[in-house]
Amino acid sequence: MEKLCDYFFIYFCPNLMICKNLFIGIAISNKLYIFFFSLLLPSRRVERAMDTLIAQLQRRFCDFTISLYHQGFLDDQFTELKKLQDECSPDFVAEVVTLFFEDCEKLISNMARALDQTGNVDFKLVGSSVHQLKGSSSSVGAKRVKGLCVTLKECCDSQNYEGCVRCLQQVDIEYKTLKAKLQDLFNLEQQIVQAGGRIPQVDI
Amino acid sequence: MEKSGFSPVGLRVLVVDDDPTWLKILEKMLKKCSYEVTTCGLAREALRLLRERKDGYDIVISDVNMPDMDGFKLLEHVGLELDLPVIMMSVDGETSRVMKGVQHGACDYLLKPIRMKELKIIWQHVLRKKLQEVRDIEGCGYEGGADWITRYDEAHFLGGGEDVSFGKKRKDFDFEKKLLQDESDPSSSSSKKARVVWSFELHQKFVNAVNQIGCDHKAGPKKILDLMNVPWLTRENVASHLQKYRLYLSRLEKGKELKCYSGGVKNADSSPKDVEVNSGYQSPGRSSYVFSGGNSLIQKATEIDPKPLASASLSDLNTDVIMPPKTKKTRIGFDPPISSSAFDSLLPWNDVPEVLESKPVLYENSFLQQQPLPSQSSYVANSAPSLMEEEMKPPYETPAGGSSVNADEFLMPQDKIPTVTLQDLDPSAMKLQEFNTEAILRSLNWELPESHHSVSLDTDLDLTWLQGERFLANTGLQFQDYSSSPSLLSELPAHLNWYGNERLPDPDEYSFMVDQGLFIS
């Protein structure tokens, strides 16, 4: 049904693609109405419109993914995660990544709290939290975050307070950036699937 | 799993990791390898699961850094209690960490991020262990016993994070072929855990044999086997046992070096009590056997009058060897037997004053605050082997010492010692002391307070414990000083427990526990 709506919009009013979801929502509640419209659409044109849409989305997806790898946000562990995703667990990567970001938040807040105790900073605690974060980030392939963890660990070991604080801030920024980017990536995937397309295998 | 039909599919894996992300990923990866996966976020939970179903898992994969328990501790527990292959993993690949893992008995050490191909081959570790067990039981004509040990040692020292059984691979395949062909062979046991049970007595014989030969490096399995004179034991059994023993000893040594002087100060307070306690014990002939054997420690021990300890000389000894009281909580189970034997066992430990001193660090009740301990410093800490031997010896010689308690009875409580120790995460050295204290207890015929029974024992150990209690009740040992002072009594077990513990609880010193595992069937 949604596919038909898409075709309908692409065919008749491509400019309204942006609000198609809204229309689709309304349309789905009037299935007969849409069905009727779909009968009017020449099938070949619908297919072509669909193909265009999917192709566009897929191209965007590929480019975006490659850019994430090239910019160092992700590494091959992320690729491995994608390989693990299958029909049994279609949202595997999304779930894992969610777990990772939750862990990130918790660990970063622990470290911030520890560093806040000015004059009595427990560097051991910060060190162990960093170690955990390093392990976590290596699990999803968060390359930049992992790199910053290494730097932060060094600052901890040398009890360099300013260095730790600065590093932690960077870690915070970095993980939030990654979170936003991965969110965009998942949205793109969803759009492709909704358009009836297949998520392409991206070779880095 | 039948050995003839061994297949990696359906391998039951237990994954322990405090990181939820990794837990999820590993679960997925292992499922893709067609394994049966159980995940666990806490080490204690994992231990509970393992103990609940002793035969429920084939292999354990554990992270090194965990909040509630060190991964190495868990590793030792599992290896000792259950003899399952354990794989360690960590994001940290430093050689020292990897070596530590290997030394604690890990089958493998994986670096995070872990790849599928690494998980696909973990079944080899399970198979290898099974083959080892079968080999132990059957004592098949596996001529490479001694060679195998050498290779194992070498692999340990050279391999670091490498698969230590690398050298065994070829033989494993040959052996596996043989096993597969021998399906109908009645002697080929297919039971999973059918292996040589290194009971306390057996281990005592083993230790005696090793001592007789002298330096354990010269002791080969064949010689030991000959000396032990146990008809049904094979050289391969002895070989594998020797290997574990060596491992334990080397860990003891390391622990001693590390812990030598760490706890000296704490041993100060209850020396007077110690004297009281000590004087109440006698170890007729204990000291003699305690000091038998080839090391200097033993020779020093021979200085001690083997007669019952009632004399002042004994007190001397006792003060000298007073061990820091063990924490009550850990020793509770073994208190009665241990306390009595503690005295005797103390004797042999004269040479390890440093170790003793270090022990109190970890104990809450320094019942035997060791004034005496410093005096022990006159004795040089002996090598771990001697310590172990001595600890082993007394219990072994108990029957010879004319104790009314037979070796079986004596042995029982020992059996549970390892488990209890493990549960309490006490250093394995505790176990040794258990043996000694038992022997001493018997000889002393000292009536120990029954209230000190360990509550943490597993149910299967309860039986042995009860038997030990029976023994205790029968001995009717009377220790006046103890009975007069409840606090003393309560502390006594701690003290006694500590006795055998020349190594203070050191989270890393679980090598003894590995050996203890030898006594667990």
Side-chain angles (χ1 to χ4, degrees):
Chain A
M1 192 57 60
E2 286 167 68
K3 289 185 202 174
L4 290 173
C5 300
D6 274 338
Y7 306 157
F8 171 72
F9 277 102
I10 291 165
Y11 185 70
F12 288 113
C13 39
N15 293 333
L16 286 177
M17 278 300 292
I18 296 165
C19 25
K20 74 166 166 62
N21 285 331
L22 176 62
F23 284 97
I24 286 172
I26 298 169
I28 281 174
S29 56
N30 304 313
K31 293 190 177 101
L32 272 177
Y33 174 78
I34 297 302
F35 180 65
F36 175 69
F37 267 104
S38 71
L39 289 177
L40 299 176
L41 303 174
S43 54
R44 222 177 317 133
R45 245 209 245 181
V46 169
E47 278 168 30
R48 269 210 299 273
M50 171 189 72
D51 288 342
T52 317
L53 172 70
I54 293 176
Q56 275 179 354
L57 291 172
Q58 284 174 335
R59 198 169 37 246
R60 239 199 291 166
F61 177 81
C62 288
D63 292 341
F64 190 55
T65 308
I66 292 175
S67 80
L68 284 180
Y69 280 91
H70 283 181
Q71 288 171 18
F73 283 101
L74 298 172
D75 61 22
D76 53 331
Q77 174 64 14
F78 193 75
T79 324
E80 296 288 322
L81 279 192
K82 303 221 74 177
K83 285 191 205 161
L84 288 175
Q85 189 161 291
D86 55 16
E87 305 80 38
C88 306
S89 49
D91 301 316
F92 179 68
V93 182
E95 288 167 5
V96 172
V97 162
T98 311
L99 279 175
F100 165 64
F101 287 129
E102 283 172 6
D103 216 21
C104 253
E105 271 186 59
K106 188 182 68 166
L107 289 169
I108 289 176
S109 73
N110 282 352
M111 287 192 269
R113 214 177 316 124
L115 288 172
D116 248 355
Q117 324 280 335
T118 38
N120 193 22
V121 178
D122 185 357
F123 282 104
K124 272 192 84 178
L125 176 66
V126 183
S128 75
S129 295
V130 159
H131 187 84
Q132 284 186 52
L133 186 60
K134 188 176 168 201
S136 274
S137 56
S138 70
S139 74
V140 297
K143 195 167 163 190
R144 279 200 191 178
V145 177
K146 186 175 175 186
L148 282 171
C149 283
V150 174
T151 319
L152 182 52
K153 187 96 197 328
E154 285 168 16
C155 289
C156 266
D157 293 339
S158 54
Q159 309 225 338
N160 173 1
Y161 181 77
E162 274 79 31
C164 280
V165 172
R166 251 182 292 122
C167 244
L168 188 63
Q169 282 171 352
Q170 277 182 299
V171 169
D172 194 50
I173 294 169
E174 208 51 61
Y175 106 85
K176 284 177 175 154
T177 313
L178 180 65
K179 189 172 177 182
K181 291 213 182 265
L182 284 179
Q183 191 62 54
D184 290 342
L185 194 69
F186 291 138
N187 287 346
L188 263 179
E189 276 185 4
Q190 264 195 323
Q191 284 178 352
I192 294 174
V193 169
Q194 276 180 352
R198 194 186 49 86
I199 301 181
Q201 282 287 94
V202 185
D203 295 322
I204 312 301
Chain B
M1 224 174 288
E2 293 158 10
K3 64 176 193 297
S4 60
F6 186 91
S7 98
V9 172
L11 202 71
R12 293 159 302 174
V13 186
L14 177 68
V15 185
V16 191
D17 196 336
D18 62 326
D19 187 343
T21 326
W22 269 114
L23 221 50
K24 194 175 173 78
I25 295 175
L26 286 169
E27 187 182 15
K28 184 79 185 153
M29 282 179 151
L30 290 165
K31 283 204 171 123
K32 281 221 154 179
C33 298
S34 318
Y35 296 145
E36 233 182 72
V37 189
T38 314
T39 60
C40 200
L42 290 172
R44 298 204 186 272
E45 177 68 21
L47 269 179
R48 190 186 64 81
L49 283 171
L50 286 165
R51 284 175 186 149
E52 252 175 39
R53 296 169 61 213
K54 292 250 170 179
D55 231 14
Y57 301 96
D58 296 313
I59 188 166
V60 178
I61 302 182
S62 167
D63 188 57
V64 164
N65 300 94
M66 285 192 287
D68 63 334
M69 192 195 295
D70 190 27
F72 297 116
K73 258 192 233 186
L74 177 65
L75 163 61
E76 293 227 27
H77 275 296
V78 174
L80 191 53
E81 275 183 52
L82 305 139
D83 197 29
L84 288 180
V86 182
I87 294 179
M88 305 302 291
M89 44 176 194
S90 176
V91 67
D92 172 20
E94 227 178 289
T95 314
S96 61
R97 301 290 279 176
V98 177
M99 274 300 287
K100 196 175 177 190
V102 167
Q103 278 165 357
H104 281 72
C107 291
D108 206 350
Y109 193 107
L110 302 179
L111 276 192
K112 288 178 170 176
I114 299 179
R115 293 283 173 264
M116 277 288 283
K117 59 178 190 246
E118 292 167 334
L119 292 178
K120 281 202 176 123
I121 58 168
I122 62 175
W123 61 270
Q124 292 177 6
H125 299 293
V126 183
L127 178 62
R128 202 171 289 121
K129 251 218 156 77
K130 283 191 193 295
L131 293 179
Q132 193 180 324
E133 282 174 21
V134 175
R135 214 180 289 137
D136 283 348
I137 304 161
E138 303 179 11
C140 290
Y142 189 65
E143 292 309 321
D147 301 343
W148 175 64
I149 290 179
T150 315
R151 227 176 315 140
Y152 185 88
D153 285 343
E154 284 171 10
H156 262 294
F157 295 119
L158 301 174
E162 289 169 15
D163 186 355
V164 295
S165 47
F166 173 74
K168 291 193 286 177
K169 275 190 184 137
R170 186 173 43 82
K171 288 205 170 161
D172 285 349
F173 290 146
D174 293 344
F175 198 69
E176 186 189 351
K177 240 191 281 175
K178 181 171 186 245
L179 290 177
L180 293 173
Q181 289 161 6
D182 279 343
E183 281 179 42
S184 55
D185 186 348
S187 68
S188 305
S189 161
S190 62
S191 73
K192 188 172 184 213
K193 295 285 182 189
R195 58 205 299 262
V196 170
V197 175
W198 279 89
S199 66
F200 176 70
E201 285 171 331
L202 201 57
H203 184 75
Q204 254 329 102
K205 280 194 186 155
F206 171 81
V207 171
N208 288 339
V210 171
N211 286 342
Q212 258 181 278
I213 294 174
C215 167
D216 64 336
H217 289 293
K218 283 191 267 168
K222 181 119 179 52
K223 258 195 214 169
I224 298 174
L225 183 63
D226 291 342
L227 276 172
M228 281 174 73
N229 197 23
V230 175
W232 51 271
L233 204 62
T234 69
R235 197 179 75 143
E236 288 70 34
N237 303 140
V238 176
S240 64
H241 193 76
L242 177 65
Q243 175 193 351
K244 290 186 196 170
Y245 184 65
R246 278 193 192 159
L247 214 58
Y248 159 72
L249 294 180
S250 66
R251 280 196 219 138
L252 264 182
E253 283 202 56
K254 278 209 187 87
K256 276 200 310 185
E257 286 161 20
L258 293 172
K259 298 286 173 186
C260 253
Y261 301 97
S262 56
V265 181
K266 291 189 188 184
N267 301 332
D269 321 332
S270 47
S271 51
K273 288 187 208 166
D274 291 347
V275 176
E276 284 178 6
V277 172
N278 290 334
S279 57
Y281 292 112
Q282 8 178 321
S283 53
R286 281 285 166 273
S287 41
S288 54
Y289 70 75
V290 166
F291 302 107
S292 62
N295 2 22
S296 59
L297 175 61
I298 293 175
Q299 277 159 16
K300 276 187 183 174
T302 50
E303 294 168 9
I304 298 168
D305 185 358
K307 295 295 179 221
L309 291 180
S311 62
S313 60
L314 181 62
S315 310
D316 261 352
L317 255 172
N318 290 333
T319 56
D320 276 352
V321 296
I322 287 178
M323 306 274 197
K326 315 253 179 275
T327 52
K328 272 198 214 161
K329 65 175 181 185
T330 58
R331 289 304 166 201
I332 289 212
F334 303 111
D335 292 349
I338 294 172
S339 42
S340 62
S341 48
F343 284 94
D344 284 342
S345 21
L346 289 180
L347 297 180
W349 299 122
N350 283 344
D351 291 351
V352 281
E354 291 112 343
V355 178
L356 294 177
E357 288 170 1
S358 61
K359 301 277 192 279
V361 177
L362 302 179
Y363 291 96
E364 295 157 6
N365 304 325
S366 46
F367 166 58
L368 293 176
Q369 279 308 306
Q370 343 287 316
Q371 295 291 342
L373 275 183
S375 67
Q376 293 171 11
S377 307
S378 57
Y379 293 93
V380 178
N382 32 6
S383 62
S386 63
L387 285 175
M388 169 130 170
E389 287 157 4
E390 283 175 31
E391 287 181 343
M392 290 309 168
K393 273 172 193 242
Y396 179 69
E397 306 209 9
T398 303
S403 155
S404 56
V405 183
N406 61 37
D408 290 345
E409 260 185 288
F410 182 46
L411 184 57
M412 312 276 204
Q414 306 301 346
D415 287 348
K416 59 179 184 320
I417 293 174
T419 305
V420 175
T421 307
L422 286 173
Q423 291 168 355
D424 297 325
L425 300 182
D426 277 342
S428 52
M430 294 272 199
K431 294 191 192 159
L432 284 177
Q433 103 191 53
E434 309 295 343
F435 292 117
N436 292 323
T437 55
E438 298 265 1
I440 293 176
L441 178 58
R442 293 187 184 189
S443 66
L444 292 178
N445 197 31
W446 180 67
E447 186 171 359
L448 296 168
E450 306 230 331
S451 57
H452 291 281
H453 298 317
S454 165
V455 294
S456 59
L457 290 175
D458 287 342
T459 47
D460 57 338
L461 292 177
D462 285 347
L463 179 62
T464 61
W465 175 241
L466 287 172
Q467 288 166 331
E469 288 176 40
R470 197 174 10 99
F471 160 62
L472 293 174
N474 289 341
T475 56
L477 290 175
Q478 299 295 333
F479 187 58
Q480 300 84 353
D481 289 345
Y482 272 82
S483 49
S484 62
S485 158
S487 62
L488 209 61
L489 278 172
S490 60
E491 290 171 4
L492 179 60
H495 157 65
L496 290 176
N497 291 330
W498 189 84
Y499 148 65
N501 201 6
E502 57 230 9
R503 290 187 316 170
L504 282 181
D506 170 6
D508 293 339
E509 293 299 324
Y510 291 95
S511 58
F512 185 91
M513 286 199 264
V514 174
D515 286 315
Q516 293 304 332
L518 300 176
F519 300 98
I520 304 171
S521 54

